[in-house]
């Protein structure tokens, strides 16, 4: 009799658990809608990827921008964690690269030139004397071809773009493919790949500005950051790396232990002053033989949201939105003020084409560029 009761009770618990989990676990979906028109009249689409937990990533074909990313807080409430705009027009006039795919070369190339195979290439200079994020019309301003593709885990969107030989001064026709996958474990995975028909340089990244408490919720100085780096690449006044790898020990760049972003952001430190805060490339401590390693972890004490950044890249640019000055009015008219978001741009080091000791960014015909970065979300109590 006791045994019968046990079976009946266990059965009932099992049934109700199954019912609860199937109610929460809806199948994922991808929806396409119009986001407006690019300045040349091309249609721009917005793809909204939703996973089985209701987590949502909206991606625009203009710049391959992550327009919104809705993830749960510690109470399970979904909220947007990236800055951006409500329509394509905001992205057309944007100069801060909100959410965009960055290429052909992420971050700066000094004096807008480099030599390859004995030939000097002159690039568009769009940041004083230097080239920033690909030049005047980087990949962030291109309209990408989009296709929904099957994913083993979650929802996937493939974006492709042909950067023509000579675009912004870079050699070679570069076929670029970026796949965004929103997994069912609440991660946004980005796979970048590229091939060329001439020797060239490539450094692709994504320029999402995160505020884990939501755009418009104040600054990010209270967020607690860990970066898996023992060294960083110090810069000159133009934010071009000097070529050295400096130890972070005893400096405001030491994030080996979880530390509030704002704890040392105004320190009396030459590098902090040059960046106007953090705007530096960290040299990631890679685990030997690991295909992908954790680069950084950010905890937002207000909402309990946690972001982990994993990458195959050797560096990450930690940028604290020092140039945001409130002039950009984003989603719902919110003005994006200084340090109201942070970026963790996984990358090869800035100015590598002019720094022979940095890991190489060269790509040759027959080779395939391939890097992966994962932005993984969870919560803490
Ligand atoms: C990168 C750069 C910064 C700034 C932003 C865009 O993070 O390192 O200096 O140019 O992009 O505003």
């Amino acid at each position: 009799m006791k045994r019968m009761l046990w079976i009946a009770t266990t059965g009932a618990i099992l049934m109700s658990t199954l019912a609860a989990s199937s109610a929460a676990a809806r199948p994922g979906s991808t929806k396409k809608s119009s986001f407006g028109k690019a300045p040349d009249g091309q249609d721009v689409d917005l793809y909204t990827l939703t996973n089985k937990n209701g987590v949502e990533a909206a991606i625009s074909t203009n710049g391959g921008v992550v327009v919104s990313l809705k993830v749960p807080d510690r109470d399970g409430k979904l909220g947007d964690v990236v800055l951006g705009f409500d329509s394509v027009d905001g992205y057309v006039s944007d100069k801060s690269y909100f959410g965009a795919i960055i290429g052909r070369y992420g971050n700066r190339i000094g004096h807008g030139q480099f030599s390859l195979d004995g030939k000097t290439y002159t690039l568009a200079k769009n940041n004083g004397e230097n080239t920033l994020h690909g030049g005047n019309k980087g990949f962030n301003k291109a309209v990408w071809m989009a296709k929904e593709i099957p994913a083993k885990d979650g929802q996937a969107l493939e974006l492709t773009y042909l950067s023509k030989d000579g675009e912004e001064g870079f050699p070679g026709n570069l076929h670029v493919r970026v796949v965004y996958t929103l997994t069912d474990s609440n991660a946004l995975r980005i796979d970048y790949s590229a091939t060329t028909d001439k020797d060239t340089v490539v450094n692709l990244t994504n320029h999402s500005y995160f505020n884990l408490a939501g755009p418009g919720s104040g600054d990010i100085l209270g967020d607690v950051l860990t970066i898996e780096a023992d060294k960083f690449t110090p810069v000159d006044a133009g934010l071009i790396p000097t070529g050295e790898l400096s130890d972070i020990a005893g400096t405001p760049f030491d994030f080996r232990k979880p530390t509030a972003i704002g704890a040392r952001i105004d320190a009396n430190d030459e590098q902090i002053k040059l960046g106007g805060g953090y705007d530096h490339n960290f040299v990631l401590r890679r685990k030997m033989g690991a295909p992908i390693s954790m680069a950084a972890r950010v905890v937002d004490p207000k909402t309990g949201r946690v972001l982990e950044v994993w990458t195959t890249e050797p560096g990450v640019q930690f940028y604290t939105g020092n140039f945001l000055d409130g002039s950009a009015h984003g989603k719902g008219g919110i003005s994006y003020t200084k340090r109201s978001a942070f970026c963790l741009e996984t990358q090869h080091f800035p100015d590598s084409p002019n720094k022979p000791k940095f890991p190489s960014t060269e790509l040759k015909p027959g080779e395939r560029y391939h890097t992966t970065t994962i932005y993984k979300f969870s919560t803490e109590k």
Side-chain angles (χ1 to χ4, degrees):
M1 187 58 198
K2 256 192 185 160
R3 191 162 171 259
M4 284 299 287
L5 190 66
W6 184 86
I7 290 171
T9 320
T10 320
I13 292 171
L14 194 68
M15 292 292 283
S16 61
T17 313
L18 283 176
S21 64
S22 65
R26 287 155 293 177
S29 66
T30 298
K31 292 203 173 75
K32 177 182 165 183
S33 58
S34 170
F35 199 46
K37 281 193 191 294
D40 63 2
Q42 283 190 76
D43 287 327
V44 174
D45 294 319
L46 187 71
Y47 285 83
T48 304
L49 282 53
T50 309
N51 78 3
K52 71 173 173 55
N53 312 315
V55 166
E56 198 186 282
I59 290 147
S60 160
T61 53
N62 188 60
V65 163
V66 178
V67 171
S68 69
L69 191 52
K70 293 179 185 159
V71 300
D73 67 6
R74 60 162 73 88
D75 301 320
K77 195 169 152 254
L78 291 177
D80 194 3
V81 293
V82 292
L83 274 51
F85 301 94
D86 290 320
S87 78
V88 77
D89 306 333
Y91 292 100
V92 168
S93 50
D94 165 49
K95 294 196 168 50
S96 302
Y97 305 87
F98 288 106
I101 297 171
I102 303 296
R104 185 177 299 199
Y105 197 95
N107 215 280
R108 292 175 178 81
I109 296 182
H111 302 291
Q113 67 174 46
F114 65 95
S115 301
L116 192 57
D117 308 325
K119 199 171 165 220
T120 299
Y121 292 94
T122 303
L123 308 170
K125 291 178 184 168
N126 62 329
N127 190 246
E129 271 300 287
N130 306 317
T131 302
L132 174 65
H133 294 330
N136 290 324
K137 187 175 182 272
F139 293 2
N140 57 306
K141 297 287 181 195
V143 178
W144 295 63
M145 297 267 291
K147 197 166 104 190
E148 291 170 45
I149 58 168
K152 277 193 220 109
D153 174 17
Q155 304 290 311
L157 181 72
E158 176 197 74
L159 298 175
T160 50
Y161 174 63
L162 166 62
S163 169
K164 296 227 173 89
D165 186 13
E167 189 178 87
E168 301 298 303
F170 290 99
N173 288 298
L174 189 77
H175 286 269
V176 191
R177 178 175 186 260
V178 175
V179 177
Y180 281 105
T181 308
L182 178 65
T183 74
D184 283 329
S185 48
N186 300 354
L188 183 66
R189 176 188 167 113
I190 316 178
D191 286 285
Y192 304 87
S193 53
T195 54
T196 183
D197 58 3
K198 271 187 196 167
D199 289 6
T200 191
V201 295
V202 193
N203 191 26
L204 307 179
T205 191
N206 174 279
H207 211 305
S208 285
Y209 285 76
F210 295 98
N211 184 322
L212 298 178
S217 66
D219 65 47
I220 43 73
L221 301 180
D223 283 4
V224 179
L225 170 70
T226 314
I227 304 183
E228 300 293 325
D230 302 309
K231 292 179 189 295
F232 79 113
T233 52
V235 290
D236 66 16
L239 300 182
I240 301 294
T242 59
E244 299 151 87
L245 307 184
S246 290
D247 280 332
I248 54 160
T251 77
F253 294 85
D254 191 345
F255 283 99
R256 290 174 296 182
K257 292 209 181 81
T259 309
I261 291 176
R264 301 158 302 180
I265 199 167
D266 291 315
N268 187 11
D269 173 278
E270 193 205 349
Q271 285 297 317
I272 284 280
K273 285 185 186 155
L274 288 170
Y278 296 101
D279 190 355
H280 296 80
N281 171 68
F282 286 71
V283 179
L284 294 171
R285 190 191 311 128
R286 305 298 307 276
K287 289 220 176 66
M288 283 296 284
I292 188 159
S293 313
M294 189 157 86
R297 184 171 195 270
V298 188
V299 180
D300 171 37
K302 286 182 285 204
T303 62
R305 289 195 180 100
V306 179
L307 166 63
E308 276 181 13
V309 183
W310 290 70
T311 190
T312 58
E313 288 281 30
V316 66
Q317 185 83 11
F318 173 49
Y319 171 57
T320 42
N322 312 310
F323 294 121
L324 297 179
D325 59 6
S327 58
H329 292 273
K331 298 171 193 175
I334 299 164
S335 112
Y336 293 144
T337 50
K338 188 172 173 180
R339 299 178 181 164
S340 62
F342 63 83
C343 303
L344 286 162
E345 304 154 60
T346 54
Q347 60 185 7
H348 269 56
F349 307 167
D351 202 32
S352 296
N354 294 310
K355 298 285 185 311
K357 288 192 178 144
F358 285 179
S360 173
T361 51
E362 288 176 28
L363 183 71
K364 294 183 183 342
E367 295 174 349
R368 188 173 184 80
Y369 170 97
H370 184 211
T371 71
T372 301
T373 292
I374 303 174
Y375 293 99
K376 202 171 183 311
F377 294 91
S378 59
T379 57
E380 263 182 21
K381 282 294 159 209

